[in-house]
């Protein structure tokens, strides 16, 4: 186990539904990330939070809305999604945002999202 | 924009043989290169990393080499075992400025018993 948990592990939703993904880290880290993983594509960084403050929004559509109430929890609120949003959504955390080994990112197992 | 190319996309080897996965990065300012292993149903896990001030790093059966001039880095797995079967991702990052990891597209390694 990496110390990063994600719920639910699987989610099927219609295009008009509203759902939320949850991520929790037990590592005492200060930075948290959402990634989208689609088949045969590189991991796409979506959002970054550092000490609860959003520091990166990688041109993500507004139908994805992140929330970071504290350094240990990260949510991704979903509404009016499209079928092409179906993917594995990974949460990660790191001690700092530095671009070196203190930035080692620990990933959760992901939420497999299917949008019908 | 910056990108990382990774080859091959799939790789099958016999148990006990070696496996090599190669990555090429475009951002010449990159100086930190982690490798992640993703097993079925799990998130990626760091298995080895290298900084630009060294050319090679080993950890038991795993090694990574870096050629900064050519902007290439490679993962070498020796004496492969069935449990090495997974998807492997390379990434490149800067130590200063942007902290973003630029990931490769992944290599699915199958070790045949």
């Amino acid at each position: 186990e990496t110390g990063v948990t994600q719920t639910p592990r699987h989610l099927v939703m219609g295009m008009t539904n509203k759902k939320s993904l949850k991520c929790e880290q037990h590592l005492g880290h200060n930075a948290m990330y959402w990634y989208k993983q689609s088949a045969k594509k590189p991991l796409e960084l979506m959002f970054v939070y550092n000490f609860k403050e959003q520091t990166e929004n990688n041109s993500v559509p507004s139908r994805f809305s992140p929330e970071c109430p504290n350094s240990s929890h990260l949510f991704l609120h979903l509404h009016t999604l499209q079928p092409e949003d179906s993917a594995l959504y990974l949460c990660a955390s790191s001690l700092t945002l530095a671009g070196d080994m203190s930035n080692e990112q620990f990933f959760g197992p992901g939420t497999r999202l299917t949008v019908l | 924009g910056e990108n990382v190319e990774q080859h091959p996309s799939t790789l099958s080897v016999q148990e006990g043989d070696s496996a090599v996965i190669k990555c090429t990065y475009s951002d010449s300012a990159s100086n930190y290169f982690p490798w992640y292993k993703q097993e079925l149903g799990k998130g990626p896990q760091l298995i080895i990393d290298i900084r630009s001030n060294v050319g090679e790093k080993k950890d038991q059966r795993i090694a990574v080499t870096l050629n900064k001039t050519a902007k290439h880095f490679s993962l070498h797995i020796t004496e492969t075992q069935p449990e090495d079967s997974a998807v492997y991702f390379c990434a490149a990052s800067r130590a200063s400025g942007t902290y973003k990891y630029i990931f490769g597209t992944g290599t699915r390694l199958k070790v045949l018993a």
Side-chain angles (χ1 to χ4, degrees):
Chain A
E1 297 301 324
T2 62
V4 181
T5 59
Q6 289 187 244
T7 55
R9 295 293 308 275
H10 300 272
L11 179 62
V12 179
M13 60 187 289
M15 289 191 285
T16 58
N17 291 159
K18 289 185 180 181
K19 296 287 184 182
S20 295
L21 310 184
K22 179 183 176 181
C23 175
E24 183 174 1
Q25 56 96 359
H26 310 273
L27 302 168
H29 288 170
N30 299 306
M32 296 189 78
Y33 312 75
W34 279 117
Y35 286 89
K36 177 182 179 182
Q37 186 175 32
S38 304
K40 300 185 179 180
K41 293 175 73 174
L43 272 71
E44 300 174 53
L45 181 65
M46 300 174 71
F47 301 103
V48 182
Y49 279 81
N50 191 37
F51 291 98
K52 305 189 300 178
E53 299 299 319
Q54 187 180 121
T55 59
E56 181 93 21
N57 176 338
N58 204 23
S59 303
V60 180
S62 59
R63 57 186 184 269
F64 294 91
S65 174
E67 178 189 2
C68 188
N70 54 61
S71 291
S72 299
H73 294 85
L74 185 64
F75 295 88
L76 188 62
H77 303 300
L78 317 171
H79 62 98
T80 59
L81 294 192
Q82 305 298 312
E84 57 265 31
D85 296 322
S86 298
L88 182 68
Y89 288 85
L90 291 163
C91 172
S93 71
S94 63
L95 181 61
T96 73
L97 283 184
D100 59 19
M101 283 171 276
S102 65
N103 184 26
E104 178 187 342
Q105 295 183 25
F106 293 77
F107 285 83
T111 295
R112 173 69 62 187
L113 174 67
T114 303
V115 181
L116 301 176
Chain B
E2 299 101 353
N3 72 294
V4 174
E5 293 188 4
Q6 183 172 346
H7 299 282
S9 57
T10 60
L11 178 60
S12 293
V13 299
Q14 289 295 131
E15 182 178 359
D17 287 351
S18 296
V20 180
I21 301 170
K22 299 181 178 182
C23 289
T24 303
Y25 59 98
S26 61
D27 182 4
S28 55
S30 297
N31 53 8
Y32 175 62
F33 307 92
W35 284 90
Y36 281 82
K37 174 184 181 183
Q38 186 173 21
E39 296 175 288
L40 195 63
K42 297 184 178 180
Q45 291 198 14
L46 180 73
I47 56 171
I48 195 168
D49 53 23
I50 191 169
R51 298 196 67 175
S52 59
N53 57 350
V54 297
E56 183 176 3
K57 184 177 177 181
K58 280 186 179 180
D59 182 3
Q60 299 182 347
R61 297 186 296 107
I62 294 173
V64 56
T65 59
L66 172 64
N67 182 330
K68 274 214 79 176
T69 303
K71 292 191 282 188
H72 290 169
F73 59 113
S74 300
L75 178 71
H76 305 253
I77 306 174
T78 58
E79 301 172 24
T80 53
Q81 300 168 4
E83 53 264 36
D84 294 330
S85 297
V87 179
Y88 292 81
F89 293 94
C90 62
S93 173
R94 297 181 182 183
S96 60
T98 181
Y99 45 79
K100 283 193 267 190
Y101 283 11
I102 308 299
F103 282 91
T105 49
T107 295
R108 182 172 299 279
L109 173 65
K110 295 182 184 177
V111 179
L112 307 172

